[in-house]
Amino acid sequence: MTLERTTLQANDLEHQYRLTCKSLDQLKTGVESLFTKMNCDPSSIVDKLGGSQGITDFNIVQYIGILEHKTSDLMMALACLGMKEAEYQDIPPTNPLLGGSSLLSVVQDIKIDVPSAMEGSDADPAEILEWPLDFESLHDKVLQKVLFKEELCKGMEGSKTDRGVRDGRKTLKNL
């Protein structure tokens, strides 16, 4: 039983290995094709490796790095040409490196409504304008709001307990 399971697992792994090798060979062929189409110079890789064995599993990353560098250089040259052309034609220049940014959606402004000091309180407006509050006044105001909200919750939940502990949390009633 374990021999059959091990054999099946080995066959699955061998199949995955073949698929991976096939994908890697296709990738190497594509990188080599791009390398020649873009007229890239492989001398830096050949100097590092000490031979001219072409694209292998071990040096493909270096080849992709050269392709990336050449692409960046070409994009910069295109941007410079676009700037010069825009300068001669009196049109706003565009940057091809930021071409994808036009596809991004515009972020809408978020409006946040801050509650007023009067909201939910029966305090006198003249009393509210006494800023800044000292510690005791602030403590009393916060305590009043918390007790008010607890009473609302207690009314909604029913009278669970009045010992100052609700759902395992201490309330400010004990203070």
Side-chain angles (χ1 to χ4, degrees):
M1 183 184 284
T2 58
L3 179 62
E4 290 175 8
R5 189 178 319 147
T6 306
T7 305
L8 286 174
Q9 187 178 16
N11 289 339
D12 286 342
L13 291 174
E14 188 174 331
H15 179 70
Q16 287 177 2
Y17 173 75
R18 278 193 230 117
L19 289 176
T20 304
C21 287
K22 182 180 175 184
S23 297
L24 189 58
D25 287 339
Q26 290 173 348
L27 182 65
K28 287 190 283 190
T29 304
V31 167
E32 187 174 11
S33 172
L34 280 174
F35 209 77
T36 55
K37 286 180 183 177
M38 292 178 66
N39 296 323
C40 293
D41 183 25
S43 62
S44 63
I45 294 177
V46 172
D47 291 342
K48 286 180 186 176
L49 298 176
S52 59
Q53 54 193 358
I55 299 176
T56 64
D57 297 349
F58 304 107
N59 66 5
I60 191 167
V61 174
Q62 285 83 11
Y63 276 89
I64 292 173
I66 291 174
L67 283 173
E68 180 182 11
H69 185 69
K70 180 76 170 191
T71 303
S72 178
D73 289 346
L74 290 173
M75 292 296 288
M76 290 301 286
L78 182 63
C80 288
L81 289 174
M83 295 278 216
K84 286 182 181 179
E85 184 179 330
E87 186 178 295
Y88 290 126
Q89 296 180 1
D90 289 334
I91 58 173
T94 58
N95 187 348
L97 298 175
L98 301 176
S101 63
S102 63
L103 301 175
L104 297 175
S105 63
V106 177
V107 177
Q108 300 294 326
D109 291 336
I110 298 173
K111 183 179 178 186
I112 299 174
D113 293 324
V114 180
S116 69
M118 294 293 295
E119 195 173 302
S121 114
D122 52 349
D124 182 24
E127 182 183 313
I128 291 176
L129 296 177
E130 296 174 10
W131 298 99
L133 298 174
D134 63 343
F135 180 77
E136 287 182 26
S137 330
L138 184 61
H139 183 267
D140 291 341
K141 286 191 179 290
V142 171
L143 185 60
Q144 286 175 353
K145 280 196 172 228
V146 170
L147 292 175
F148 177 74
K149 288 183 180 181
E150 282 183 350
E151 291 300 320
L152 284 176
C153 289
K154 187 188 284 186
M156 286 185 219
E157 295 176 355
S159 179
K160 286 187 178 178
T161 180
D162 197 28
R163 293 179 299 191
V165 177
R166 179 170 298 142
D167 298 329
R169 294 174 291 177
K170 286 195 171 233
T171 62
L172 290 176
K173 288 182 180 180
N174 295 336
L175 297 177

